[in-house]
Amino acid sequence: MNFIFLYFEIAAFIYGLIYYKHIKKTKFAKLVWLIGIVVLAELIGTYQRRVLHVPNVQVYNIATLIEFILYGLIFTEVFGSNKWSWFSKYFVLAYPILWLINITLIQGFQVFHTYTMSLGSFSMIIMACFYFISIIENEEKIDLLKSGSFWFATGILIFYSSDIFNSFFLRNTHKINLFNGFTLFKLINTVLNIILYSCFIKVFHITKERIQKETNELVQYSIHN
């Protein structure tokens, strides 16, 4: 039960790799490698904790830094020339600096960077909200269910808003043991991860379908001209 979320992460990564030739020239190419970094960090962290019995917090400190930067870069491409792109651009520049200050002068590298983790999480929520605001402001009709950006922003918003609520407002869930040390907190976190990576799989599928359709249309146009 502890590793169900990891299976979804691996499934999303494999799906992204299988169709990477369709995705590599789109804004979501970075998402494939982001998921790969997450999977690698989870595997290394689990090995350190369960086999080597050594602290694994440094791995997650570095992995989450890279994760947030890549999310910010993806949102920047999602926004494009949209007026809300300023936030993601400033975030990508400022976050590594704040992270470095935190781990060197405030919390240190030997504990999890909760301060900058919370900052990154709140920033993801803000970027996702900006995306939905931009949809409302856009007069052009968009089929959201066929939009990779929609599923990307939806997964981010659900995951990080719920994760923050779970971490800050439902703190006792750590103490509620469901079975064999599997707490209510872990259950909620597992469900959130399943939702997030299911959304990412949807992103890859939609992007792959769109690129295939555009390629087929281009071929048909070439044939008839």
Side-chain angles (χ1 to χ4, degrees), residues 105-119:
L105 301 177
I106 303 174
Q107 288 190 285
F109 196 52
Q110 304 306 317
V111 297
F112 189 63
H113 66 126
T114 53
Y115 296 160
T116 39
M117 180 68 190
S118 298
L119 174 63

Side-chain angles (χ1 to χ4, degrees), residues 1 19 24 57 68 79 109 146 162 187 218:
M1 188 70 176
Y19 295 107
K24 63 181 179 181
V57 68
F68 280 132
F79 290 134
F109 196 52
K146 294 182 180 180
S162 301
L187 175 62
L218 184 60

Side-chain angles (χ1 to χ4, degrees), residues 135-153:
I135 289 177
I136 296 172
E137 294 178 337
N138 191 354
E139 296 180 355
E140 181 183 350
K141 291 185 178 180
I142 301 175
D143 188 346
L144 295 179
L145 297 181
K146 294 182 180 180
S147 169
S149 297
F150 169 78
W151 287 103
F152 173 73

Side-chain angles (χ1 to χ4, degrees), residues 75-143:
F75 266 115
T76 298
E77 292 193 54
V78 167
F79 290 134
S81 58
N82 189 289
K83 66 180 181 180
W84 302 110
S85 64
W86 66 269
F87 187 88
S88 57
K89 291 176 181 177
Y90 279 120
F91 172 81
V92 170
L93 293 174
Y95 187 77
I97 298 172
L98 296 173
W99 177 89
L100 185 61
I101 292 172
N102 183 42
I103 66 164
T104 55
L105 301 177
I106 303 174
Q107 288 190 285
F109 196 52
Q110 304 306 317
V111 297
F112 189 63
H113 66 126
T114 53
Y115 296 160
T116 39
M117 180 68 190
S118 298
L119 174 63
S121 298
F122 277 114
S123 298
M124 292 303 108
I125 294 170
I126 292 171
M127 282 184 243
C129 288
F130 280 163
Y131 168 76
F132 288 109
I133 292 173
S134 70
I135 289 177
I136 296 172
E137 294 178 337
N138 191 354
E139 296 180 355
E140 181 183 350
K141 291 185 178 180
I142 301 175
D143 188 346

Side-chain angles (χ1 to χ4, degrees), residues 24-41:
K24 63 181 179 181
K25 294 184 179 180
T26 73
K27 64 178 74 74
F28 297 115
K30 297 181 185 66
L31 186 58
V32 177
W33 303 113
L34 185 155
I35 297 172
I37 291 170
V38 171
V39 170
L40 182 62

Side-chain angles (χ1 to χ4, degrees), residues 12 15-16 23 28 32 35 200-208:
Y15 193 93
I23 302 170
F28 297 115
V32 177
I35 297 172
F200 289 168
I201 290 174
K202 186 69 174 179
V203 169
F204 294 147
H205 178 73
I206 289 173
T207 303
K208 180 260 296 183

